[in-house]
Every structure is written in C-alpha cells, then in structure tokens.
Amino acid sequence: MLTSSTRLLRLLSLLQTRSHWAGQDLAKRLEVHPRTLRRDIDRLRQLGYPVEASSGVAGGYAFRAGQALPPLLLDDGEALAVSIALRTATAGAVGGIEEPALRALVKLEQAMPARLRQQVDALRSTILPLDRTGPVVEASVLAALASACRDQLRAEFAYEDGQGRSTQRTVEPQGVVHTGQRWYLVAWDRGRGDWRTFRIDRIVGEPRLGAHFAPRASPDGGDLKAYVSRSISAPQHAERARVALNAPHAQMARRIPPSAAVLQPWDGGQRCLMECGVGDALVYWLMALDVEFEVLAPDALRERLRVAGERALRCAG
C-alpha cells in the first residue's frame, strides 16, 4: 500500500496524463477503494489543485485550469533540471519563450537554497551556448500541437514545403519529435490517407484545432522517433545507397545523426549497415567519416568514388 502523501503525488501525476479519468479506472490504478479516492481528491482541492468531478455514466475526474498555478514541490535534482532547461530555453530553438523562461529562472533561483544556487552558478559559468542558426518554431504553435496530440483533436494548418509551395492540411496529430536540430509533427494526413511527418517550423500561422478523432495504431509500432528518423532520411532521388562501415553500430551512431542516414548493426556486430539517399555530397561525406567502408549499392556511387579518388591523387601531385 502506498503512503498517503505518496498516493497523492501519484494521483496528481495520473490526473495530468489524461483530460478525463473514470473514477473506477483511477481507483484501480491506485489500488484503493473509491471512497479513499474521493478523500484524496478532496485533499488535492484543499491544496489548491483544481480537480472537477462529474457524475453519471460518463462520470469521473478531470484536472482543470484554476485561477492560479498551484504550488509545486521539487527535489534537488528536479530543481537543477528545471533551471538548466530554462537557461537553455532562453537561447533555444523555440521562439517566443525567451523572456518568460528568464523570468521563471529568476524566480526559481531566488527560492533555491544556497547549496543549489552554488551548483547553478557553476553550471552558468561553464555552459556557454553557441548562437543558433537553424530554424526556430513558435512556442504557441508547439503548445497547440502538443495539446492536439494529448487530447486527440484534429488540426488544420497551412504548410510550406522545401520549395516554398503552400498547401492546406487536415491531420490527426499523433506526437511531436525533436531530433536535436528540428521539431517534427507525426500525424495521419486525412487528405493523403497516410502517415506523414511535418517540420513544425514550416507550419504557417496558428493551427486550428477541431473535433475529436478515434485513435489509430501508431506507425513503426508506436516508436515515433524511429519513424521520423526513417522518414527524414529518405532520399530525395530515385537512388538509395547501402554502405557497410567497418566500425561498430554504437560508434557510428554517435557520429551519424538519424536525419542523415539509417544505421543498423551488421556482420555480427563488427560492422554496421548505413542506408541513405545518393546525393552529390555523399562521396565526400563518406571520406570525411575516416573509416574503411564498402559500397554495396548502387554502382553509380562506386563510380563517383573512383572519379573522386583519381581527382584527389592528381591534386596531391
């Protein structure tokens, strides 16, 4: 049995994972009697957490927005994590949150005990982020899409492709994925009748959220990161390269981002197989990896490597 305080924290966490919980389901997850659940709900309300109850066939509990943000309890590790995240957000890839992040950081650090402030000061003096040059997404767009994923709401938006052509899309959002460089939305495109990935920085204006939709089985068995990696590394041309790298998968995965190629262990783990699109820069990219490799396909890539090698020998004198 969970202690009362631990159970309250678990209850609060569960309430924030769904827009609505049936009372019986919630009591079952907590392994308590419905009467105990009702008492715990009352305790949360007394602490300032806005929990609404409804009766009837579809009755249950819902965590709603209140008049003010209720108090938050953070342990040392959580406080440091939030501080680092806020400091990163002041110069991150999400636009429109720099000033709010800075204000929140000041409030958090003022409330920190001395031992934590010393650690934060040490981090501040040693972490020096470079200026971002990549695409920036608006915080309001990111928040709207995250809400649509959580509440299973259709979204409509204007979307620009790489050539600047705009189309109207109506989608059923599944999840948001960050690759380390860009933000992507994974969604069922109702117009195309298939799963699609959308670069969020190419969404024009605010998404319009609509009606609820019935959930679908997620692509790649629910592994949205793998789906995005495979989608964005798909070639823009007809040719597909397959190259065996003479290095273990773990070693090359640290050097080759998922947006550039798909890697998988090969040859008993001694080597790894890389698949990617065949572009003009692939020859020089392979040479820059500084590992031995074997081109399995296509023949045109072997020819490009031969020509580049002869040119390099001529230039070397």
Side-chain angles (χ1 to χ4, degrees), residues 44 46-47 72 77 116 123 142 153 158 162 192 209 250 264 302:
L44 286 179
Q46 292 170 7
L47 292 171
L72 298 175
L116 289 183
L123 289 168
L142 198 60
L153 299 176
R192 275 69 175 174
L209 305 188
Q264 59 184 5
R302 297 192 188 93

Side-chain angles (χ1 to χ4, degrees), residues 148-180:
C149 294
R150 180 194 63 193
D151 299 333
Q152 297 176 344
L153 299 176
R154 292 177 186 171
E156 297 181 9
F157 50 80
Y159 186 73
E160 287 188 354
D161 63 14
Q163 286 70 46
R165 297 171 298 196
S166 180
T167 55
Q168 290 294 323
R169 302 297 185 96
T170 300
V171 303
E172 298 175 359
Q174 185 73 15
V176 172
V177 175
H178 188 227
T179 64

